[in-house]
Amino acid sequence: MKHHIRRLLGRGARLDPDAPLPSKPPRPVLWLLGKTGAGKSSLVQALTGQAEIGSGFAPCTRTAQAFDFPADHPVMRFLDTRGLGEVGYDPGEDLRTAEAGSHAVIAVARLDDPVQGPLADVLAELRRRRPKLPILLVHTGADLLGDTGKCDRARAATSERLERAAGGGLPAVTMALPPGQQAEGLDDLRAALAQMVPDLALMMMEERAADAETASFASHRALVLWYAGAAGATDAAPLIGTVSVPALQGAMLHALAARYGLKWTAARAGGFATALGSGIALRLALGHGLRQGAKLVPVVGQTLGAAAAAATSFAATYALGRAAALWLYRSRHGTPPDSDELRAVFTRALQRARDVSG
């Protein structure tokens, strides 16, 4: 029994963690729209926590650039266009790009700029092309007007103009993005984005760093999410997940161990399996086999079954990575967690991932 679990958790041992994997996970694409100076780059900087983001943008059309975050294992993409209303700028190509691949639009408008006609025109066109495309209105410059009454009136006027163009109410947040200072309204922005694009919730999740281990995992969360996304993406198709999901989970464990300065050996896999508990490992294995069978059921299995399999593989892979991160961190410091603590972390991570993927 222990040998079987060790093989399950150690599968993928021959995979190079840096080598191309069977599939890239789907990543949310957030399209930033706004006039020049609206604060789009500052907003991305605040969201990602990176001091400089300008050099990270790469051309994806003649008039738009993409920024993948994080760079090594991207789990989200920001699509930035030229400032709307610029002389000679035709946003038509960018509209087609958004129509093809964006998951949500972040419409950025500065409160001290009452002229938002160009942004309103594009939002109206987007609503015509993709009526269900989520749009979040972000009011920036809350620190620029200096008077609460002026700020409220400007926000109401801008919202009314843009909502009329979009044909209905728009969720909105208000932010201050002073250069070199802490952004205000960032928590509201995170919450609004997580509601629009649930996959972002885990990436942007704010966990209290009660100890050094929690803080350490925050720097590795993107890696775990990348593998979880890949597992979910490959498990949507019949039978492919039988091979790809265990391989991806094994590769994730190898990659995580390397991040913690360790090697994922057979002995280490066995120790982790013992600490996690044979029950959990076997449920993962049996549940995975049942999901593969369900996907072969005509019509229903190929739709509902595939969706359920993808969501479950995403959640299980994320939870496995979270538990492994705890175990690796503590093992490296000579104080491995006991089984109860490890199972609690696994169960909590599994529930969180199910909440955002289901």
Side-chain angles (χ1 to χ4, degrees), residues 110-184:
R110 265 176 54 155
L111 288 171
D112 62 342
D113 181 2
V115 183
Q116 295 297 334
L119 178 56
D121 291 342
V122 174
L123 292 183
E125 181 66 11
L126 274 176
R127 275 289 192 241
R128 186 184 70 80
R129 290 173 178 262
R130 287 185 61 184
K132 295 184 179 180
L133 182 66
I135 299 174
L136 173 65
L137 176 56
V138 178
H139 299 282
T140 59
D143 56 324
L144 300 178
L145 294 179
D147 180 86
T148 302
K150 288 183 179 179
C151 186
D152 291 342
R153 288 191 295 273
R155 181 168 51 239
T158 299
S159 294
E160 193 277 332
R161 175 73 175 90
L162 297 179
E163 288 179 345
R164 186 170 65 249
L170 295 175
V173 297
T174 302
M175 300 190 68
L177 300 167
Q181 299 181 39
Q182 179 69 34
E184 297 179 16

Side-chain angles (χ1 to χ4, degrees), residues 30 54 121 174 259 288:
L30 307 180
D121 291 342
T174 302
R259 289 283 188 95
H288 182 64

Side-chain angles (χ1 to χ4, degrees), residues 90-309:
D90 179 2
E93 186 176 1
D94 293 333
L95 283 173
R96 290 189 290 273
T97 299
E99 192 172 11
S102 292
H103 296 86
V105 169
I106 304 178
V108 187
R110 265 176 54 155
L111 288 171
D112 62 342
D113 181 2
V115 183
Q116 295 297 334
L119 178 56
D121 291 342
V122 174
L123 292 183
E125 181 66 11
L126 274 176
R127 275 289 192 241
R128 186 184 70 80
R129 290 173 178 262
R130 287 185 61 184
K132 295 184 179 180
L133 182 66
I135 299 174
L136 173 65
L137 176 56
V138 178
H139 299 282
T140 59
D143 56 324
L144 300 178
L145 294 179
D147 180 86
T148 302
K150 288 183 179 179
C151 186
D152 291 342
R153 288 191 295 273
R155 181 168 51 239
T158 299
S159 294
E160 193 277 332
R161 175 73 175 90
L162 297 179
E163 288 179 345
R164 186 170 65 249
L170 295 175
V173 297
T174 302
M175 300 190 68
L177 300 167
Q181 299 181 39
Q182 179 69 34
E184 297 179 16
L186 190 55
D187 288 343
D188 292 338
L189 177 62
R190 289 194 181 105
L193 286 174
Q195 289 183 354
M196 295 172 62
V197 189
D199 289 350
L200 289 179
L202 283 172
M203 181 59 209
M204 300 186 302
M205 183 170 53
E206 286 290 318
E207 291 183 271
R208 288 187 177 180
D211 55 29
E213 189 281 325
T214 304
S216 175
F217 176 69
S219 65
H220 305 311
R221 184 185 292 120
L223 176 74
V224 173
L225 281 170
W226 195 94
Y227 281 99
T234 61
D235 206 15
L239 297 182
I240 294 178
T242 304
V243 176
S244 66
V245 173
L248 285 161
Q249 290 174 344
M252 176 186 69
L253 295 173
H254 280 264
L256 263 180
R259 289 283 188 95
Y260 286 96
L262 301 170
K263 288 187 177 181
W264 191 257
T265 61
R268 190 157 278 126
F272 176 61
T274 299
L276 187 61
S278 59
I280 288 179
L282 284 178
R283 283 200 300 274
L284 285 174
L286 292 174
H288 182 64
L290 291 174
R291 292 194 301 276
Q292 300 308 311
K295 285 188 291 186
L296 297 178
V297 177
V299 184
V300 174
Q302 294 164 12
T303 53
L304 297 179

Side-chain angles (χ1 to χ4, degrees), residues 31 58-66 79-82 89 94 97:
W31 191 27
C60 60
T61 74
R62 289 178 299 175
T63 54
Q65 295 179 311
L79 178 65
D80 189 21
T81 60
R82 284 174 54 182
Y89 172 50
D94 293 333
T97 299

